[in-house]
Amino acid sequence: MNEKIVNPYYDRLPGSYLFSTIAKKIKEYQGTHANADIIRLGIGDVTTPIIPAAIEAMHKAVDEMACKNTFRGYGPEQGYDFLREAIIRGEYTPRGVEMDPDDVFVSDGSKCDVANIQELFAADVKIAIPDPVYPVYLDSNVMAGRTGFMQEDGHFSEVTYLASTAENNFQPELPKNPVQLIYLCSPNNPTGTVLSRETLQKFVDYANETGALILFDGAYNCYIQDESLPHSIYEIPGARNCAIEFRSFSKTAGFTGVRCAYTIVPHELGKLRSMWNRRQCTKFNGVNYVVQRAAESIYTPVGWEQTKAVIKGYMDTAAMIRSELTAAGYTVFGGEHAPYIWWKLENGEKSFDFFDRLLGTCEVVGTPGSGFGPCGEGYFRLTAFGDHEQTKVALKRIKEKL
Ligand code: MLT
């Protein structure tokens, strides 16, 4: 094969995607421990079945597909109006945010959207990303050639990092260098902490003053327990002129396997909105009808009650992890408005070393903090999406064996 035809930037990526690395390590462990009883609190994958209202909606939609009068072929690339309108009614109107259904673009996942959106931007735009954060923002920009090379300290030379650490109460400072794209994630994956209204206003004002664009990932917003905290960037005055928001049904409604999400590109962003529409029409044929009916159903009164109960279940698990680890003398963050617990390691232990030690002594899997950025070194993420009883067993092992 002619090496000259391949995208050279892939060589700048770390060996494999974070969660693939973890999966490989688990497989290796299982290879040498045939009777391993591993409890997985690593990747944030849901474990509670889809709510009855959504299952019912899917069955009904499947039946429609079997009948000539109600069968559907290609749907609108942007999503059916019934779902776009339900999203606005269920998510934005209750928080005082007005939204035009045309600004809602339904998709098959926020991971894809947050990576695909880069196609709208020039190759040489400068980016700022929180550190630590969901690795897709960085990796996808490395692939696009925007990041320069990785330095010895783990940072890429052309990226501005926004440290989000216990020292600054997980509220990052504004970028020190001029940037045109700013990624924000709240509640933050992996720290499980939330950006305050003041912090978001600071970033929105900065973006409007400098012409930067904010890419706001709100995939975990439904876990925010304090109603006074911002759930959407559009609750912040001025945000419609400078921000795109990504939301997902994966963590809200257990759709990690079902696949449905949406991205908001407000009319105020003018050309970017029509470019995203053009991109989606060209490269995407919409989310399947059955899935969109399931997503719609979570906004019915009964669907919302069932959804809230599932969220509460995960948050009960988060509270249990927090309190058990705290009682055992560990320092933890997050877990109050998000299903992730950010565990501070002791005695300068490296997060990948701790991964191996936790797996070896307790057969519990988590995610090493350094996989989310250099500021994540010395931390470890546990997910509250695991089965509650299994998580209880994991905590017992940690208390007894670690
Ligand atoms: C995570 O564990 O960080 C998430 O499950 C990954 C994702 O949402 O893609």
Side-chain angles (χ1 to χ4, degrees):
M1 198 261 302
N2 176 3
E3 289 272 329
K4 289 205 176 112
I5 66 170
V6 304
N7 178 345
Y9 301 120
Y10 274 62
D11 285 342
R12 300 186 187 181
L13 286 166
S16 61
Y17 181 59
L18 175 62
F19 294 104
S20 316
T21 308
I22 302 302
K24 190 163 160 257
K25 277 175 152 299
I26 299 172
K27 210 164 168 209
E28 277 165 14
Y29 183 85
Q30 284 170 322
T32 51
H33 298 77
N35 300 320
D37 176 20
I38 295 174
I39 301 178
R40 293 165 193 255
L41 306 180
I43 190 165
D45 197 4
V46 292
T47 51
T48 305
I50 309 283
I51 56 162
I55 295 293
E56 203 180 306
M58 282 198 252
H59 280 303
K60 192 162 164 267
V62 168
D63 288 342
E64 286 178 43
M65 288 300 205
C67 179
K68 187 149 184 70
N69 293 339
T70 48
F71 166 78
R72 314 255 181 158
Y74 287 127
E77 295 90 345
Q78 305 80 358
Y80 285 102
D81 284 345
F82 65 76
L83 179 55
R84 298 170 102 188
E85 283 160 13
I87 288 167
I88 294 172
R89 270 198 319 274
E91 301 280 352
Y92 291 100
T93 312
R95 298 203 60 82
V97 175
E98 279 182 29
M99 189 73 68
D100 187 324
D102 282 353
D103 296 348
V104 182
F105 292 84
V106 175
S107 77
D108 60 351
S110 282
K111 182 181 186 174
C112 331
D113 282 0
V114 90
N116 292 334
I117 199 88
Q118 289 176 50
E119 290 180 26
L120 311 193
F121 307 111
D124 60 352
V125 295
K126 297 285 180 230
I127 66 160
I129 58 164
D131 177 13
V133 86
Y134 185 43
V136 173
Y137 317 150
L138 178 69
D139 283 9
S140 55
N141 273 288
V142 175
M143 292 169 178
R146 285 200 189 88
T147 58
F149 289 95
M150 193 193 267
Q151 313 293 289
E152 266 186 24
D153 64 0
H155 286 130
F156 277 83
S157 53
E158 301 294 320
V159 175
T160 296
Y161 289 83
L162 308 171
S164 308
T165 59
E167 288 67 37
N168 62 18
N169 205 18
F170 301 98
Q171 306 296 312
E173 296 290 321
L174 290 172
K176 299 245 182 313
N177 310 312
V179 294
Q180 290 87 45
L181 279 185
I182 304 169
Y183 289 84
L184 293 176
C185 180
S186 180
N188 177 279
N189 176 11
T191 65
T193 56
V194 181
L195 295 176
S196 69
R197 208 165 278 277
E198 294 68 38
T199 301
L200 285 183
Q201 187 71 65
K202 200 171 68 174
F203 275 90
V204 166
D205 292 346
Y206 170 90
N208 280 323
E209 276 158 27
T210 62
L213 185 83
I214 296 173
L215 299 174
F216 184 81
D217 185 348
Y220 297 90
N221 81 86
C222 64
Y223 290 89
I224 299 176
Q225 304 294 300
D226 179 347
E227 286 308 305
S228 72
L229 288 168
H231 287 48
S232 163
I233 189 118
Y234 303 118
E235 291 174 43
I236 309 300
R240 299 174 73 93
N241 296 309
C242 66
I244 291 176
E245 179 162 289
F246 303 90
R247 292 268 189 105
S248 168
F249 291 100
S250 284
K251 311 299 158 82
T252 307
F255 278 24
T256 53
V258 172
R259 311 304 306 151
C260 195
Y262 53 96
T263 290
I264 308 288
V265 191
H267 269 91
E268 284 82 346
L269 295 182
K271 185 168 182 187
L272 278 180
R273 195 195 156 283
S274 31
M275 285 169 73
W276 184 244
N277 189 49
R278 182 73 169 83
R279 191 257 170 221
Q280 293 298 81
C281 291
T282 306
K283 298 194 176 183
F284 183 59
N285 260 336
V287 175
N288 88 56
Y289 173 71
V290 176
V291 166
Q292 292 196 55
R293 280 295 184 200
E296 179 197 25
S297 77
I298 77 159
Y299 298 117
T300 59
V302 60
W304 195 239
E305 281 312 307
Q306 293 169 355
T307 301
K308 279 198 309 196
V310 175
I311 291 169
K312 181 177 178 312
Y314 290 134
M315 290 311 286
D316 287 348
T317 305
M320 175 176 75
I321 302 174
R322 254 187 88 88
S323 70
E324 293 285 316
L325 290 182
T326 307
Y330 297 110
T331 303
V332 296
F333 301 94
E336 289 172 312
H337 303 291
Y340 291 128
I341 281 77
W342 194 232
W343 183 355
K344 186 169 175 19
L345 304 179
E346 294 173 334
N347 308 318
E349 187 167 10
K350 298 272 188 230
S351 55
F352 269 92
D353 293 343
F354 183 72
F355 176 94
D356 292 333
R357 188 160 73 89
L358 188 65
L359 182 58
T361 53
C362 304
E363 300 202 323
V364 172
V365 170
T367 311
S370 62
F372 298 97
C375 284
E377 186 53 284
Y379 285 84
F380 199 72
R381 193 193 78 175
L382 293 181
T383 168
F385 283 125
D387 173 77
H388 190 81
E389 293 309 312
Q390 281 279 95
T391 307
K392 216 182 251 178
V393 176
L395 291 166
K396 189 163 178 288
R397 289 187 199 165
I398 289 170
K399 282 193 295 184
E400 288 173 2
K401 297 187 182 176
L402 202 63

